[in-house]
Amino acid sequence: MSVRRVMGTEVEYGISVQGQPSANPMVASSQIVNAYASSTVKARRARWDFEEESPLRDARGFDMARQVADPSQLTDEDLGLANVILTNGARLYVDHAHPEYSSPEVTTPLDVVRWEKAGEQVMLDASRMAAQVPGSTPIVLYKNNTDNKGASYGAHENYLMRRSTPFAEIVRHLTPFFVSRQVVTGAGRVGIGQDGRDTTPERGFQISQRADYFEVEVGLETTLKRPIINTRDEPHADPALYRRLHVILGDANLAEVSIYLKSGTTALVLAMIEDGFVDRDLSVEGAVKALRDVSHDPTLRHLVTLRDGRRLTAVQLQLEYLDLARKYVEDRYGADADEQTVDVLARWESVLTRLERDPMECATELDWVAKLKLLNQYRDRDDLDWDDAKLHLIDLQYADVRPDKGLYHRLAAAGRIERLLDDATIEAAMHDPPADTRAYFRGRCLDKYADSVAAASWDSVIFDLPGRESLQRVPTIDPLRGTRAHVGELIDRSDSAQALVAAITR
């Protein structure tokens, strides 16, 4: 495979009720989701179908017992929190104390960018709609990963993989990649340590918002004892053929190039692992410590020790993967490599070359560099040390989703951050599903037959039809069926859900 595979992202947003620091975040998050649902969802609101979810199944071959699981792991329980399925195939809901947008399934890195950025706009609109409710207090949302008080929340990635790939090989080859990937995908953070208190006047900025919150190399948890490689085995597809790699260590990016390279480079590395192409052992000694040490050194000079004794910088380790990826694409595709695969390789090489020379050369493409440049400008102007509270506020303001307040958005509006997509393309993705995955069927059904859709999930749509004693489940177990090519004409000519289901089950 190339960079093309079934992928998607899930982003929990930071939330703050203005003037009410002790406000209940679950209540505020519900207000966000409910406001958007009330203003945009037609007819009845379809519930989320939890029946096929199995969050305690472990890729290492066992199920965790429910009685020992942390409550945060029981994502298959309907807690009655706000939850809505959007016409673009995405899910908008309350995940514990945060509003979360889970993108629809897509197949290319650029579409990952498109539907994740659409999620930012959904959240922006939701916060504006919530503010219009009489008696409400404005709620501000942030696309970030930490409150700098010890809490971290996720920006997860999902990649469909072949079940036949040994999980041990995934762990072996992906761990070093993840340890070093942050030099391209980090969002940048003011503060060292989980609560940010290890900051000193001279040392206070790190590359990743998430690195300090990881404690083990491999595990099932996502909120406690966070692992570099998560073992949740919940494929949302045929389990005999596929697994879903659930990646939890990534940062919440705003820069489109960072999002693009995050999914594109990871997809390439996974393709090499599936095809047994990785011919060298890049295993890192003490991967958890290495993850943090790399993050704590924005000069990119820290040396990671490999198990074979070599010592490389994170950029050099990424260059090892780039070298393998170039050889892999040439070997498998040659001149027939698709446009996005070629582009990901070129951008990956360009970014790594410039990071090695001078990280500031990437300030128009990568979040952590753009943020560091901005912070240094304030530090120089106002003579600020890293432990100055003003810098924490600037860090937070970078992630504000409001275009007139968020520093990322102001940089982008001024042309100081590179864009890959225009606003119209992103706005259309707020409402339209991807055409080449099952998200198309889910989204079109919710748009055209909203009053007949009782529930839906990643792998089914459930209809409530007149004259039927029971609900009618239409399985969508294959992520690459239910596309516009498969069902577009059928949906177009079916005037009712009853006609659609009759045609499907005929």
Side-chain angles (χ1 to χ4, degrees), residues 208-227:
S208 169
Q209 294 212 346
R210 291 280 276 173
D212 283 345
Y213 297 91
F214 284 76
E215 301 176 27
V216 298
E217 292 189 25
V218 182
L220 184 61
E221 292 81 0
T222 60
T223 60
L224 301 169
K225 294 176 62 178
R226 293 182 180 93

Side-chain angles (χ1 to χ4, degrees), residues 50-66 69 73-76 163 167 219-222 230-240 242-244 246 459 477:
F50 292 92
E51 184 171 323
E52 300 298 325
E53 302 211 355
S54 50
L56 301 182
R57 188 162 299 149
D58 196 297
R60 293 168 291 185
F62 58 87
D63 283 21
M64 177 183 283
R66 296 188 76 85
Q73 294 177 268
L74 304 179
T75 57
D76 56 345
R163 172 68 64 177
F167 194 75
L220 184 61
E221 292 81 0
T222 60
N230 182 262
T231 59
R232 179 184 289 187
D233 191 3
E234 194 178 24
H236 298 310
D238 186 341
Y242 301 110
R243 73 169 80 251
R244 173 176 62 106
H246 188 54
D459 41 26
I477 196 73

Side-chain angles (χ1 to χ4, degrees), residues 393-412:
L393 293 175
I394 294 167
D395 184 2
L396 184 64
Q397 194 175 351
Y398 182 91
D400 193 324
V401 301
R402 296 173 295 180
D404 58 329
K405 301 291 186 181
L407 295 180
Y408 162 80
H409 294 290
R410 291 169 67 174
L411 288 173

Side-chain angles (χ1 to χ4, degrees), residues 180-207:
S180 55
R181 185 185 73 162
Q182 58 185 299
V183 300
V184 175
T185 64
R189 175 188 171 204
V190 175
I192 306 295
Q194 292 190 1
D195 59 7
R197 293 181 182 175
D198 293 340
T199 304
T200 67
E202 299 80 23
R203 174 177 173 269
F205 181 85
Q206 61 175 306
I207 293 169

Side-chain angles (χ1 to χ4, degrees), residues 13 15 28-41 84 86-88 92 99 101 116-133 136-142 400-404 409 423-424 426-432:
Y13 282 71
I15 187 165
S29 297
S30 295
Q31 290 172 340
I32 290 291
V33 175
N34 285 328
Y36 193 81
S38 298
S39 300
T40 62
V41 177
V84 62
L86 307 182
T87 59
N88 69 353
L92 177 66
Y101 172 89
E116 182 172 324
K117 297 300 283 188
E120 293 175 24
Q121 295 303 307
V122 166
M123 288 293 187
L124 174 62
D125 282 2
S127 64
R128 288 171 170 168
M129 293 166 182
Q132 295 172 3
V133 176
S136 63
T137 303
I139 298 172
V140 182
L141 299 178
Y142 303 93
D400 193 324
V401 301
R402 296 173 295 180
D404 58 329
H409 294 290
D423 290 343
I426 293 170
E427 184 176 355
M430 294 172 63
H431 312 287
D432 298 337

Side-chain angles (χ1 to χ4, degrees), residues 116-297:
E116 182 172 324
K117 297 300 283 188
E120 293 175 24
Q121 295 303 307
V122 166
M123 288 293 187
L124 174 62
D125 282 2
S127 64
R128 288 171 170 168
M129 293 166 182
Q132 295 172 3
V133 176
S136 63
T137 303
I139 298 172
V140 182
L141 299 178
Y142 303 93
K143 195 183 184 191
N144 65 354
N145 297 109
T146 178
D147 62 0
N148 257 345
K149 298 176 184 176
S152 179
Y153 30 97
H156 298 173
E157 307 148 57
N158 298 291
Y159 302 89
L160 200 68
M161 294 191 68
R162 298 177 203 153
R163 172 68 64 177
S164 58
T165 305
F167 194 75
E169 289 297 290
I170 297 172
V171 173
R172 178 187 175 203
H173 296 305
L174 205 55
T175 301
F177 175 72
F178 280 163
V179 167
S180 55
R181 185 185 73 162
Q182 58 185 299
V183 300
V184 175
T185 64
R189 175 188 171 204
V190 175
I192 306 295
Q194 292 190 1
D195 59 7
R197 293 181 182 175
D198 293 340
T199 304
T200 67
E202 299 80 23
R203 174 177 173 269
F205 181 85
Q206 61 175 306
I207 293 169
S208 169
Q209 294 212 346
R210 291 280 276 173
D212 283 345
Y213 297 91
F214 284 76
E215 301 176 27
V216 298
E217 292 189 25
V218 182
L220 184 61
E221 292 81 0
T222 60
T223 60
L224 301 169
K225 294 176 62 178
R226 293 182 180 93
I228 294 174
I229 304 293
N230 182 262
T231 59
R232 179 184 289 187
D233 191 3
E234 194 178 24
H236 298 310
D238 186 341
L241 298 176
Y242 301 110
R243 73 169 80 251
R244 173 176 62 106
L245 184 71
H246 188 54
V247 179
I248 71 169
L249 92 164
D251 286 8
N253 291 112
L254 286 154
E256 294 176 15
V257 173
S258 290
I259 301 170
Y260 180 69
L261 286 177
K262 177 163 60 179
S263 56
T265 61
T266 303
L268 274 173
V269 172
L270 294 180
M272 292 192 292
I273 294 172
E274 286 178 325
D275 287 347
F277 193 83
V278 182
D279 60 358
R280 61 195 77 166
D281 187 2
L282 299 172
S283 300
V284 172
E285 288 284 357
V288 174
K289 184 177 184 299
L291 179 75
R292 297 177 182 177
D293 289 343
V294 168
S295 182
H296 294 174
D297 180 27

